[in-house]
Amino acid sequence: MLNETTAQVLDLLLAKTRVSGEDIAFKLGLSRTAVWKNIEVLRRMGYQIASLPGQGYSITAAPDIPLPQEVRRYLEPSHLPWQVEYMPQCTSTNTLLKQRAIQGAPEGLVLVTDHQTAGRGRRGREWQDAPGNSLLFSALLRPSLPPAALLPLTLIMGVAVGDALMSLGVLCQLKWPNDILVGEAKICGILTEISGEIDHTDFAVVGVGINIRSRPELAEYGATSVDEHVVPPVRAQLLAAVLGEIARRYGEFLAGGRRDILKRWESMSATLHRTVVVHTPSGDITGTAIGVNCEGALLVSTADGQDVVVNTGEVSLRHRKHE
Ligand code: BTN
């Protein structure tokens, strides 16, 4: 995280192609030495900053760090007031954002980090990363709908993140409820956590982990990364693209457009028309996945001719060659 003064110096540098040390000192009420020290902090973070005598400072290259200043450069205007906070390291962005939500943080707060020491996946699993190799963030939503109406939200977030990856050229598919795959390999996981009472939602935290750069463990887990498919953009740009899609789909959902989004989910699905085994709390269900209903539940047609509605569970896809 940048201290306030360094962040202000960065804002001034990003606002213009060139800015003099004198201007920065005047605008921020700093000495020229203090300006220089803050420029050095930015350089140590990886910013390349040219300084020409008499002409001032200009940024010639930026590091791949999803700082709020960098994300703002790529964010399209949207109805959600995104406010990004970056931490080099934290326990889990979902855990921290839930704490902030309980303390009253507003809708649109986003926590993003380079590394989690206690990253969490679905069903109590760990989510491990190697520092700087993933995009790891959580976004806070405060929908004015009861929790039961939010069941499709997790699928809708899969559509949003999947479409952002598609826009980069990553040909991904969705596995129910919301894993994102390329072929059979997982490229992204989403953990949506909702807090509230039966008739009122306090908040929803949407946590997203996208593998950006490959590392040996990914293959061991049957996972893949963005750089195995396209040249990855900087993480600030990817985060802005994903937040843009989340805002768009969330707005459509609140305006009653869930049917169309779930149609999109079906068209991006790796699960449909395949033989699946769904591991549910009440046992395994084997059959062909035939669709999702309005609540986001998976519909499975079993060999004995029944259509089963699956609200919760873990899907194993049978290999296509066995089908
Ligand atoms: C899964 O596939 O099981 C979901 C993984 C979700 C991981 C992301 S990384 C950012 C956010 N913080 C967490 O602790 N988890 C989510």
Side-chain angles (χ1 to χ4, degrees), residues 271-277 285-291 298-303 306-308 323:
T271 313
L272 296 195
H273 316 301
R274 293 196 49 185
T275 306
V276 293
V277 181
I285 300 166
T286 303
T288 305
I290 53 171
L298 185 67
L299 307 175
V300 178
S301 172
T302 59
Q306 284 187 59
D307 286 351
V308 183
E323 285 173 11

Side-chain angles (χ1 to χ4, degrees), residues 23-210:
D23 264 6
I24 299 175
F26 176 73
K27 286 194 173 125
L28 302 181
L30 299 174
S31 68
R32 293 292 295 275
T33 314
V35 171
W36 177 81
K37 279 188 179 157
N38 282 287
I39 297 278
E40 285 306 304
V41 171
L42 292 170
R43 282 183 173 140
R44 280 197 294 276
M45 287 175 65
Y47 278 96
Q48 287 177 31
I49 302 172
S51 70
L52 292 176
Q55 294 186 40
Y57 297 105
S58 70
I59 292 180
T60 54
D64 179 9
I65 304 176
L67 292 171
Q69 286 86 349
E70 295 293 336
V71 181
R72 272 202 298 273
R73 292 169 64 193
Y74 298 104
L75 259 183
E76 302 277 348
S78 85
H79 64 97
L80 275 175
W82 294 125
Q83 191 199 322
V84 176
E85 290 184 17
Y86 163 79
M87 295 159 289
Q89 174 176 311
C90 72
T91 49
S92 149
T93 54
N94 262 46
T95 306
L96 292 183
L97 192 56
K98 286 201 297 185
Q99 288 166 3
R100 296 283 294 274
I102 291 163
Q103 291 158 4
E107 179 166 72
L109 179 62
V110 175
L111 300 184
V112 57
T113 190
D114 275 344
H115 176 50
Q116 297 182 131
T117 53
R120 295 189 293 113
R122 289 178 63 240
R123 303 181 161 267
R125 287 191 287 252
E126 279 180 40
W127 181 266
Q128 292 181 344
D129 68 83
N133 281 338
S134 317
L135 177 63
L136 309 164
F137 75 92
S138 302
L140 180 60
L141 303 176
R142 291 192 181 273
S144 49
L145 290 169
L150 296 178
L151 295 175
L153 190 64
T154 188
L155 270 63
I156 288 167
M157 292 301 125
V159 169
V161 183
D163 270 332
L165 287 170
M166 294 277 234
S167 72
L168 295 178
V170 179
L171 300 178
C172 55
Q173 287 190 302
L174 305 177
K175 189 182 101 169
W176 191 86
N178 59 5
D179 282 350
I180 304 188
L181 312 179
V182 179
E184 306 283 321
K186 182 160 167 174
I187 197 164
C188 168
I190 303 175
L191 176 64
T192 304
E193 298 184 281
I194 292 171
S195 169
E197 289 159 29
I198 192 114
D199 58 346
H200 167 80
T201 300
D202 287 331
F203 60 82
V205 163
V206 180
V208 178
I210 303 176

